[in-house]
Amino acid sequence: MNAAIYDCPAEWVHLLPPGTQKIRLDTDLPEHIWPLLALTPGGCRTLTEHKTGRREIICRFLLAPGDLQALPAQVRAETVISYGLSPRDSLTLSSLAKPVLCIQRTLPRLDGTTVDAQEFPLSPLPGPAEALLPLLGLWLLQMPLTEFPVSW
């Protein structure tokens, strides 16, 4: 398994990139060293509240909401990629009216390559673009980038 998303909304399951596991229970997270782990805002709140028995959650790359005061204490990551609507976030949107995914800085990818700072106009989305940022990040960091690969 290349990637996982914690607290994935049910309506996203069919939109997940191939090889991405949906994790529903926080107790399942420490069982594996994740190459890529995405945390939804709700998932971050749950981890902060439950502390998963203090066992570490380890990942190479972590996609996390940029508006967190701090990451949940039990999460350890080599690289944290923040998403959100702040200009500080690595992954954001430069337009909400006609959604444009904006990569603010060069980001490492699972395959060892990088994706340079750039923008991807998005096709119509199955929900609000800002809510879909963790899902868009999973696609961006895993799939070939000849063009943004998601066609909803």
Side-chain angles (χ1 to χ4, degrees):
M1 200 56 53
N2 286 336
I5 182 168
Y6 177 59
D7 197 32
C8 177
E11 60 272 14
W12 291 7
V13 172
H14 71 283
L15 303 172
L16 292 174
T20 302
Q21 180 178 349
K22 173 185 80 150
I23 304 290
R24 295 295 306 159
L25 300 173
D26 58 349
T27 54
D28 291 339
L29 285 166
E31 306 284 320
H32 187 74
I33 297 175
W34 302 101
L36 171 60
L37 176 62
L39 300 177
T40 63
C44 286
R45 280 189 299 278
T46 300
L47 289 176
T48 300
E49 293 165 6
H50 293 131
K51 311 251 189 280
T52 65
R54 297 277 182 205
R55 295 187 327 192
E56 284 190 333
I57 298 164
I58 302 169
C59 55
R60 252 183 85 211
F61 299 107
L62 176 68
L63 268 170
D67 61 358
L68 295 175
Q69 296 296 322
L71 289 174
Q74 66 274 42
V75 177
R76 302 284 177 258
E78 289 177 26
T79 301
V80 177
I81 299 168
S82 65
Y83 64 84
L85 297 181
S86 167
R88 293 184 327 267
D89 292 318
S90 298
L91 195 58
T92 189
L93 297 162
S94 61
S95 171
L96 291 174
K98 288 186 130 192
V100 176
L101 183 64
C102 180
I103 294 97
Q104 299 278 62
R105 61 198 52 82
T106 300
L107 298 176
R109 292 174 28 96
L110 283 181
D111 63 7
T113 63
T114 58
V115 58
D116 293 326
Q118 62 187 293
E119 293 188 339
F120 290 101
L122 299 170
S123 59
L125 298 170
E130 60 274 20
L132 294 171
L133 279 169
L135 181 61
L136 294 167
L138 283 168
W139 278 96
L140 179 76
L141 297 174
Q142 293 182 87
M143 305 310 292
L145 285 181
T146 51
E147 61 183 61
F148 197 72
V150 180
S151 173
W152 311 105

